[in-house]
Amino acid sequence: MKKQFKRILVIKMRFHGDMLLTTPVISTLRQHYPDASVDVLLYQDTMPILSENPEINALYGIKNRGAGAGEKIANFVHLLRTLRANHYDLVVNLTDQWIVALLVRGLQAEVKISQDFAQRQSAFWKKSFTRLAPYTGEHVVERNLSVLRPLGIDNPVTETTMSYRPAHWESLRARLDALGVGEHYVVIQPTARQLFKCWDDDKFAQVIDALHARGYEVVMTSGPGADDLACVDNIARQCQVAPVVALAGKTTFPELAALIDHAALFIGVDSAPMHIAAAVKTPIVCLFGATDHVFWRPWSDNAIQFWAGNYQAMPKRSELDRNKKYLSVIPAADVIAATERLLPDAYAPISAARSDAS
């Protein structure tokens, strides 16, 4: 299919990390259709993670959590009118929500491509698109790119993109200076949306103590929720020297990207910040539990990944206990050893005096 498109709409409605992992599709479309403008339809609350991406012409948010039925309907009608007025000639769909079929049917694009999801085999769904692409690939990035096969693209862009402005880093650097944090720091994000993706607080504390002993500052980040902040505080209390926690829950996604980009190392669990670290090419130590550690692994050549399944059998997804920390079987000593592999240099140990700035 060799066509020249001028207006392209990419649809993906998932969480923050998922949105970042769609950027290779956006980059590929921009590379192959340099005169086209590429818009993205996504959940409103995930817009910040793509807000600084220069390859995106416009972001359109669909209401999800916290919105009532009437508000969602009004939002859908408004979006449909707005998107129809944009006169897209190509629609690329990467999401399996049924509402997408309704929306795409209302657009007049000549070409409408969707991944051929196994759970969406109804005639109504299939007839909403002009082409269905086989859903193939080992990693989520590869799966996303498979949607472009009907376009005849055989050399896609495979790197993820996380963008921020110089002002974001300038602001973060000033905040770090005020907290007494120098250039040699490690970012640790211990929290995730769900408990079964989390590691033990005391083990994170052991890792932090080991990093401090080697002269690295530790800056802890998290979401703004009460549970996330409580987790960060509990870890800090168990450390011999407290890490910097003042930024936890207080950074935007572009600011977080700037912080991670300038870090010596990122340590975290299966969550969006891990994918940000991969996108900005910061070395990674990541921990996975009862999730697909191949499909969701960091898209990076400079990462050490721990999977709880290498220590103990993990349950099937249908048998998953979402209130259990499956990562508990991963020893702190193994993670500390990984940090030593990725951080070969050592500096003067961090003293307790610095903890007053946390």
Side-chain angles (χ1 to χ4, degrees):
M1 182 183 295
K2 300 296 183 181
K3 294 180 179 289
Q4 289 302 313
F5 301 105
K6 296 296 184 182
R7 296 298 302 270
I8 301 173
L9 177 66
V10 176
I11 303 174
K12 180 72 173 184
M13 295 186 292
R14 290 295 181 191
F15 299 105
H16 290 98
D18 303 70
M19 297 313 307
L20 183 60
L21 295 169
T22 66
T23 55
V25 172
I26 296 164
S27 297
T28 299
L29 290 168
R30 290 289 294 122
Q31 181 184 84
H32 284 264
Y33 308 107
D35 296 328
S37 56
V38 179
D39 297 343
V40 179
L41 175 65
L42 68 170
Y43 285 139
Q44 273 189 356
D45 54 1
T46 62
M47 292 171 71
I49 201 163
L50 298 183
S51 61
E52 299 296 331
N53 190 314
E55 296 183 311
I56 298 173
N57 174 62
L59 296 172
Y60 294 99
I62 192 164
K63 289 186 180 294
N64 182 24
R65 291 177 292 185
E71 191 176 1
K72 288 182 179 179
I73 292 171
N75 171 245
F76 177 85
V77 172
H78 172 73
L79 278 174
L80 181 56
R81 289 173 178 169
T82 301
L83 298 177
R84 281 177 63 90
N86 288 342
H87 301 293
Y88 297 109
D89 44 16
L90 171 63
V91 174
V92 177
N93 175 50
L94 294 161
T95 195
D96 61 354
Q97 283 92 324
W98 66 267
I99 198 171
V100 170
L102 290 175
L103 187 143
V104 170
R105 281 174 173 262
L107 302 180
Q108 302 302 312
E110 179 184 357
V111 180
K112 304 175 183 180
I113 300 173
S114 177
Q115 290 174 317
D116 192 7
F117 300 104
Q119 66 273 33
R120 292 289 179 262
Q121 294 297 307
S122 69
F124 181 84
W125 176 272
K126 289 189 171 186
K127 290 180 180 179
S128 299
F129 305 93
T130 61
R131 294 291 298 273
L132 295 173
Y135 191 50
T136 60
E138 184 180 64
H139 190 273
V140 59
V141 167
E142 297 166 331
R143 296 271 184 102
N144 286 338
L145 287 169
S146 69
V147 75
L148 302 177
R149 192 166 293 118
L151 297 174
I153 296 174
D154 55 10
N155 56 335
V157 176
T158 57
E159 291 190 353
T160 55
T161 301
M162 180 65 206
S163 303
Y164 62 89
R165 289 179 280 111
H168 291 123
W169 171 238
E170 292 167 6
S171 172
L172 257 298
R173 185 62 263 177
R175 292 161 74 181
L176 291 172
D177 288 342
L179 293 166
V181 179
E183 295 182 3
H184 308 297
Y185 68 87
V186 174
V187 173
I188 294 183
Q189 170 113 2
T191 59
R193 288 188 302 107
Q194 296 163 305
L195 187 64
F196 73 88
K197 291 185 176 184
C198 297
W199 200 33
D200 299 316
D201 292 357
D202 65 309
K203 291 176 181 174
F204 268 119
Q206 292 176 53
V207 173
I208 293 169
D209 287 341
L211 289 167
H212 281 159
R214 299 186 67 227
Y216 285 93
E217 300 275 1
V218 175
V219 179
M220 297 193 71
T221 59
S222 74
D227 290 344
D228 286 8
L229 296 176
C231 172
V232 167
D233 288 341
N234 188 46
I235 292 170
R237 284 196 298 271
Q238 297 182 59
C239 296
Q240 295 176 17
V241 176
V244 173
V245 301
L247 299 181
K250 296 179 181 177
T251 59
T252 64
F253 274 104
E255 289 173 339
L256 180 61
L259 180 69
I260 294 173
D261 190 13
H262 289 80
L265 178 68
F266 173 85
I267 304 173
V269 294
D270 178 15
S271 62
M274 177 200 71
H275 296 301
I276 290 175
V280 299
K281 296 181 172 54
T282 294
I284 299 168
V285 174
C286 60
L287 298 88
F288 278 70
T291 52
D292 192 332
H293 65 292
V294 176
F295 187 75
W296 293 110
R297 73 181 185 275
W299 192 242
S300 169
D301 295 327
N302 195 14
I304 296 177
Q305 178 182 7
F306 291 92
W307 178 46
N310 287 331
Y311 298 84
Q312 180 178 303
M314 291 292 103
K316 298 178 181 178
R317 185 175 180 84
S318 59
E319 301 170 355
L320 185 66
D321 180 354
R322 294 183 176 271
N323 294 312
K324 180 177 179 179
K325 287 187 176 181
Y326 292 96
L327 282 69
S328 293
V329 298
I330 302 174
D334 289 6
V335 176
I336 291 169
T339 69
E340 293 171 349
R341 286 175 56 190
L342 292 174
L343 295 172
D345 297 324
Y347 305 93
I350 302 299
S351 66
R354 204 271 311 130
S355 65
D356 293 338
S358 301

